[in-house]
Amino acid sequence: MRGLSFRSLAFLFLIAFLVWSASFETCNARRGRHWRHGRSSNSVSLSKKNNKGNSHRKGGHPNYHNGKPKPKPKPKAPSHNKSPPLAPAVPTKPVHDVPPPSHHSSVFNVKDFGAKGNGVSDDTKAFEAAWAAACKVEASIMMVPEESVFLVGPISFSGPYCQANIIFQLDGTIIAPTGSKDWGKGLLWWLDFTKLKGITIQGKGIIDGRGSVWWQDYPYDDPIDDESKLIIPLHNNTLPDKPPTPIRSELSGKMPSIKPTALRFYGSFNVTVTGITIQNSPQCHLKFDNCIGVVVHDVSVSSPGDSPNTDGIHLQNSKDVLIHTSNLACGDDCVSIQTGCSNVYVHNVNCGPGHGISIGSLGKDNTKACVSNITIRDVMMHNTMNGVRIKTWQGGSGSVQGVLFSNIQVSEVQLPIVIDQFYCDKSSCKNQTSAVALSGITYERVKGTYTVKPVHFACSDSLPCVDVTLSVIELKPVQERYHMYDPYCWQAFGESTTPTQPPIACLQTGKPPSNRPQSSPDACF
């Protein structure tokens, strides 16, 4: 019994050992297959991850989130085990095909529209095409590049359907045609900007009107400045009968009698002109008509002092105007302020040669004129016909009120202070009783030298000038080639708050004895 038991136990032990051995080998085999499969899988994943990481770092570690261990992957179809295709060629190809960024697509260079810029080829159509494209994009830039000369005929850059805040970037030179055929029977404007909002012309470029071919018919068909009758030279041969003019090209023909303004803005809001030079305009250089919100600064106007009717800056029916830090040299008024203007501020301007800074002429052909709230200050004038002037025609109506001329420095100016209510640019004008009423005119700190007469106040008999104030007037004569005159006053009423040099005793104090108000139809406000 014991022997059987021992043999049985030994046999059972042997069987148990064999079973355990077989189970151990099977376990090792399964464990080995899993290890090899895992290593192979990890190697492929690492290799694919490295390849993906070379192009898109965002593709690495797709099963890790915020540093947590990778969750056990779910069974996937074999096609899903493949890593996504390498992406460099896929996203980079569209990058080169898409349009440029929006800030580049808003710049419209006239050369991209066919402009040659050689000063000979007619670039008018290219400018028209560039403007048509820029007009459709808000805050776009129409580029006139530097180191190029563009021959451009009469052209209109017009709204009112253009987008707002367009910039006309002028760094090159624009020249006007000089052939009569380009102007037909005559045009009033060369470069015309109409009915725009937020339009800006800026840059370091030049607008050249090449006006000499227009000036040579002067003075036969052009009006003359009436103040010239007050300037009497000591000798008849001291002034030429006619200013020298260039010889007209034989091919150009006779130019039309109507002369164009070089640059005009009409019916526009928030207009800015800065940095550019406008030179040799056939007539006025820069004009604003029916505009609200105008800023002009760091602008140069240049034409000969004997070029006829070439006003520097001309304002008409415009409000809220600021002009400053500019140099104005021309053959007529450096700044001309016409009817319908209010809230105009001009300061830090150099004027000369030219006819000074003028309000008017107003009331021509029995028209009504309204001008108010005008300030002219910190201005230097050299070798001009007039300094600061107000000029109106007999027979007009309306009013000029609230005008300040302050800190005006004059050097060799013929007539520094002028009010002329008998203005006439023809050989003779008939006498009329109605007039534009002048009131609230202040002159302060007007200093320097004059060559003809320090003060000329010629006011209307029916509507005398009232509330004329003089303060710190210091004007000394320069003995040269002109007769020297004393201050002149006619129907001018007001006061001198300080002593003046020379004494201006002709200004009457107080109010005129028959100071009748204007009738309602004639009044402005």
Side-chain angles (χ1 to χ4, degrees), residues 317-519:
N317 296 312
S318 294
K319 301 176 181 180
D320 304 328
V321 178
L322 173 61
I323 301 170
H324 68 91
T325 323
S326 295
N327 297 311
L328 309 176
C330 56
D332 210 307
D333 295 327
C334 293
V335 179
S336 172
I337 301 171
Q338 301 292 321
T339 184
C341 291
S342 62
N343 300 332
V344 177
Y345 184 24
V346 179
H347 70 91
N348 293 99
V349 167
N350 296 322
C351 171
H355 293 187
I357 294 179
S358 296
I359 297 175
S361 61
L362 305 173
K364 186 176 182 180
D365 298 326
N366 304 105
T367 57
K368 181 178 178 179
C370 298
V371 176
S372 64
N373 194 19
I374 310 296
T375 299
I376 313 294
R377 71 187 315 151
D378 303 327
V379 173
M380 296 187 67
M381 299 186 181
H382 177 69
N383 193 26
T384 58
M385 176 184 289
N386 307 286
V388 288
R389 171 172 61 162
I390 301 175
K391 50 182 179 177
T392 70
W393 291 72
Q394 296 184 75
S397 62
S399 66
V400 175
Q401 58 183 346
V403 178
L404 171 63
F405 300 109
S406 177
N407 194 26
I408 310 298
Q409 303 292 324
V410 296
S411 174
E412 300 183 33
V413 171
Q414 296 168 6
L415 305 163
I417 297 176
V418 176
I419 293 179
D420 185 1
Q421 293 207 268
F422 300 89
Y423 187 80
C424 174
D425 63 3
K426 299 177 288 188
S427 58
S428 64
C429 297
K430 68 177 183 179
N431 291 326
Q432 300 183 65
T433 56
S434 62
V436 178
L438 306 186
S439 63
I441 316 298
T442 300
Y443 302 87
E444 64 180 26
R445 296 192 302 279
V446 181
K447 303 179 180 181
T449 60
Y450 66 95
T451 60
V452 177
K453 183 189 299 184
V455 174
H456 181 85
F457 289 149
C459 298
S460 168
D461 290 298
S462 57
L463 280 176
C465 303
V466 297
D467 297 327
V468 177
T469 302
L470 304 177
S471 176
V472 193
I473 307 300
E474 300 176 4
L475 298 171
K476 299 178 181 180
V478 174
Q479 297 292 342
E480 287 185 345
R481 58 181 183 169
Y482 296 100
H483 290 292
M484 308 303 293
Y485 294 88
D486 294 330
Y488 172 83
C489 306
W490 179 260
Q491 294 289 71
F493 292 82
E495 65 174 341
S496 296
T497 60
T498 65
T500 62
Q501 182 182 0
I504 307 174
C506 61
L507 178 65
Q508 302 181 63
T509 58
K511 302 286 186 180
S514 58
N515 188 24
R516 63 174 180 83
Q518 283 184 317
S519 61

Side-chain angles (χ1 to χ4, degrees), residues 43-317:
S43 298
V44 172
S45 298
L46 181 61
S47 174
K48 291 180 179 179
K49 181 171 32 177
N50 288 339
N51 290 337
K52 291 170 63 181
N54 290 336
S55 57
H56 295 282
R57 289 296 178 185
K58 293 181 180 179
H61 307 288
N63 293 322
Y64 283 80
H65 306 275
N66 300 324
K68 296 179 181 180
K70 181 172 67 175
K72 184 180 293 184
K74 296 180 180 181
K76 297 180 180 180
S79 60
H80 289 180
N81 287 336
K82 296 180 181 179
S83 52
L86 294 179
V90 176
T92 55
K93 185 176 179 181
V95 167
H96 297 289
D97 293 339
V98 297
S102 59
H103 66 276
H104 291 305
S105 61
S106 65
V107 178
F108 301 92
N109 191 318
V110 294
K111 285 194 171 182
D112 293 336
F113 292 83
K116 302 300 182 184
N118 56 21
V120 178
S121 302
D122 187 350
D123 291 325
T124 307
K125 291 189 179 298
F127 272 64
E128 290 174 341
W131 175 258
C135 172
K136 301 174 183 177
V137 181
E138 183 176 358
S140 61
I141 299 173
M142 178 170 168
M143 176 71 69
V144 182
E146 60 184 343
E147 299 181 356
S148 296
V149 179
F150 301 91
L151 175 63
V152 177
I155 185 172
S156 177
F157 304 98
S158 61
Y161 303 109
C162 287
Q163 296 297 314
N165 304 321
I166 298 175
I167 296 175
F168 191 97
Q169 183 69 36
L170 175 59
D171 293 319
T173 298
I174 302 175
I175 61 174
T178 56
S180 58
K181 62 180 179 61
D182 295 294
W183 301 97
K185 295 182 179 180
L187 297 172
L188 295 174
W189 308 286
W190 172 30
L191 308 176
D192 190 28
F193 289 79
T194 303
K195 297 182 180 179
L196 299 167
K197 294 181 180 180
I199 179 67
T200 296
I201 294 185
Q202 66 181 28
K204 56 185 179 181
I206 298 172
I207 295 175
D208 188 350
R210 301 204 285 181
S212 60
V213 296
W214 302 81
W215 304 332
Q216 51 199 345
D217 293 325
Y218 173 82
Y220 301 110
D221 58 359
D222 280 299
I224 60 172
D225 195 309
D226 189 47
E227 261 59 70
S228 61
K229 69 180 182 292
L230 304 175
I231 302 165
I232 304 175
L234 289 173
H235 305 288
N236 290 333
N237 60 355
T238 56
L239 290 177
D241 294 333
K242 182 178 179 181
T245 53
I247 299 175
R248 179 186 282 119
S249 168
E250 295 180 358
L251 300 177
S252 65
K254 182 178 176 60
M255 302 303 285
S257 59
I258 300 174
K259 301 175 178 63
T261 289
L263 177 60
R264 184 188 81 142
F265 293 86
Y266 175 80
S268 297
F269 297 87
N270 297 332
V271 180
T272 300
V273 180
T274 178
I276 67 172
T277 295
I278 310 172
Q279 64 190 31
N280 300 323
S281 177
Q283 196 163 343
C284 179
H285 287 79
L286 176 59
K287 179 180 287 188
F288 298 92
D289 191 357
N290 277 282
C291 293
I292 298 177
V294 173
V295 178
V296 178
H297 66 93
D298 297 285
V299 165
S300 293
V301 167
S302 177
S303 64
D306 57 9
S307 56
N309 303 114
T310 54
D311 289 16
I313 301 175
H314 183 98
L315 306 176
Q316 184 171 333
N317 296 312

